[in-house]
Amino acid sequence: MTLQAPAPPSAPLAASPAEPPAFLRALFETAVAAADPMRTVAPALPPRPAGRVVVIGAGKASARMAEAVEAAWGPCEGLVITRYGHARPCAGIEIVEAAHPVPDAAGEVATRRVMRLLEGLSAEDLVLALISGGGSSLLVQPAGQITLEEKRLVTSGLLASGAPIGEMNGIRKELSAVKGGRLAAAAFPARVLALLISDVPGDAPADIASGPTVGHRGDAARALAALARWGVVPPPSVQSFLEAGGDPVRPDDPRLARVENVVIAAPARSLEAAAEAARGAGCAVEILGDALEGEARDLAAAHADLARARQAAMAPGDPPLLLLSGGECTVTRRGDGVGGPNAEYALALAVALDGAEGIDAIACDTDGVDGAAEVAGAVIGPSTLAEAGRLGSDPARALSTNDSHDFFAALGAQVVPGPTLTNVNDFRAILIRPQP
């Protein structure tokens, strides 16, 4: 795995820490900009080869990545699959939109077309694979006799169970004809260069979009155990396929010998871009990590305790302190509300802080989509609960029914950037100011 050189320094922020909501939104925009494919793709590209080049890909950022490739190389042959509403104009590369996070027929048809593009390639050809988060759902071709509807049932069950993304992707690899290295194996003997935008803890290429260009180290028995652990009952065809051992492509498979995987954007870089901008605005910065996982409300409670402790240790003249973190939280659905991990984290944080003065926060998904809603997340502050009370909104009830998006919509505290055309996971920032 190779990680490209850091992106150019961030521009100064338009807002200061004295304006917490605007300042926090500007930090989120800075983090997103650091992962924009128009900034990160071109430095990772070699000179355009003289022979045949086939561009394929999948993910929420894949269309923007394709746009960046053509800006550098000119029109290319190929096809990439992105989420509905995330298409970009390309001269040669075809852009197909499909469903996320639960796959649909459009994704399956497009995936079969991608696989056909890889047939009959020679050792002189280059396959440029553009892979980003969301590819696990968008690049969909079930293995064996498993149908798309059966795979959809498994995916929906896992999403509702609160299973961590690593376990979900391990199961997805076992049930796929393209993930876990199978896509790259199908291109052999062509050379494969995969450019990856990471949305996973640790940035391992095998975990990004379930590793279509990376061999799989798991096994079918482990996938069955994970399904049982998270209470997901597989359809009979899935059960039978896994009991038979699946059809893995191992990392040492000779068909993967000519594959290079390059991570061109990652959560850590976006957090550092936001940290650099915050330091420039006079803040002290503490990065808690770029790979935090767990139940959103539990992480929020822990961060509320940490924020209070940090504030208690501050002297009146100290600069504001910014706590930054990334990763991917999960939500175990307990109600029928509309929410997502970032909005639920923000709501749980507001409840835990209980109006604490001098503490504001933002939690957003860098792809602009939190859960299944076209909302990135939300901003909270000392007045959040009081304002909710004036509107007759009950934060505890909203949290118990996973209705965080509706809660913040009523307050006008949602962050709605639209499709950001990139995806480096969650962005969380807590701004702490000293008290008199």
Side-chain angles (χ1 to χ4, degrees):
M1 177 180 72
T2 304
L3 189 62
Q4 296 298 307
S10 304
L13 296 173
S16 77
E19 311 165 277
F23 179 70
L24 291 167
R25 288 172 184 262
L27 288 175
F28 170 63
E29 292 168 2
T30 297
V32 169
D36 186 344
M38 296 303 287
R39 299 178 69 181
T40 60
V41 166
L45 290 173
R48 181 167 180 167
R52 186 183 180 194
V53 176
V54 177
V55 180
I56 61 170
K60 297 175 189 175
S62 62
R64 181 70 159 176
M65 296 170 80
E67 183 183 19
V69 169
E70 291 200 336
W73 277 1
C76 297
E77 170 191 3
L79 186 155
V80 303
I81 311 166
T82 194
R83 190 179 191 269
Y84 289 118
H86 288 58
R88 297 297 295 168
C90 288
I93 303 168
E94 182 182 354
I95 308 297
V96 176
E97 294 179 309
H100 175 278
V102 179
D104 67 357
E108 182 179 26
V109 170
T111 301
R112 294 184 185 278
R113 291 181 58 203
V114 166
M115 296 299 278
R116 285 197 293 272
L117 281 174
L118 303 179
E119 295 174 358
L121 297 179
S122 73
E124 286 71 44
D125 298 328
L126 172 67
V127 174
L128 180 63
L130 308 176
I131 307 297
S132 67
S136 292
S137 299
L138 297 164
L139 198 63
V140 55
Q141 182 176 332
Q145 300 302 308
I146 300 168
T147 67
L148 177 60
E149 183 56 34
E150 289 166 336
K151 193 165 185 183
R152 282 168 54 87
L153 288 171
V154 173
T155 300
S156 297
L158 288 168
L159 287 168
S161 73
I165 190 64
E167 291 215 350
M168 286 184 60
N169 285 351
I171 295 166
R172 284 164 157 169
K173 291 180 188 182
E174 293 292 341
L175 304 182
S176 175
V178 290
K179 302 180 182 73
R182 295 176 181 87
L183 182 77
F188 185 80
R191 184 164 69 91
V192 177
L193 171 60
L195 303 185
L196 310 165
I197 292 182
S198 172
D199 69 329
V200 298
D203 306 325
D207 295 332
I208 301 167
S210 302
T213 59
V214 184
H216 181 39
R217 297 183 183 278
D219 56 56
R222 193 180 306 173
L224 277 170
L227 287 169
R229 183 161 52 252
W230 294 101
V232 177
V233 179
S237 66
V238 171
Q239 182 82 24
S240 299
F241 181 78
L242 293 177
E243 286 177 347
D247 183 27
V249 173
R250 297 302 183 195
D252 59 355
D253 190 299
R255 293 172 294 174
L256 302 182
R258 303 193 71 208
V259 178
E260 180 183 7
N261 292 290
V262 182
V263 178
I264 63 170
R269 182 180 303 164
S270 285
L271 289 180
E272 188 50 50
E276 179 186 352
R279 293 185 191 106
C283 290
V285 178
E286 183 178 345
I287 298 179
L288 304 178
D290 67 333
L292 304 188
E293 296 183 281
E295 194 74 19
R297 62 182 66 195
D298 295 338
L299 185 65
H303 282 181
D305 289 343
L306 180 63
R308 288 180 182 276
R310 292 290 188 270
Q311 188 182 55
M314 297 172 76
D318 285 348
L321 172 63
L322 187 74
L323 304 181
L324 289 172
S325 65
E328 186 166 19
C329 293
T330 53
V331 171
T332 301
R333 287 192 63 82
R334 300 171 173 85
D336 58 358
V338 179
N342 287 281
E344 180 145 322
Y345 169 94
L347 178 54
L349 186 66
V351 170
L353 288 172
D354 194 25
E357 290 296 328
I359 304 179
D360 296 79
I362 189 171
C364 290
D365 197 316
T366 55
D367 64 10
V369 181
D370 185 35
E374 304 299 313
V375 178
V379 176
I380 68 161
S383 65
T384 295
L385 298 188
E387 180 62 22
R390 283 192 290 272
L391 295 173
S393 181
D394 183 350
R397 186 177 188 283
L399 191 59
S400 69
T401 58
N402 307 113
D403 201 24
S404 52
H405 281 317
D406 285 340
F407 176 85
F408 286 116
L411 295 180
Q414 290 180 309
V415 180
V416 190
T420 64
L421 307 176
T422 192
N423 184 16
V424 287
N425 234 324
D426 298 341
F427 174 86
R428 295 177 291 269
I430 302 175
L431 180 66
I432 307 167
R433 286 157 290 144
Q435 294 302 287

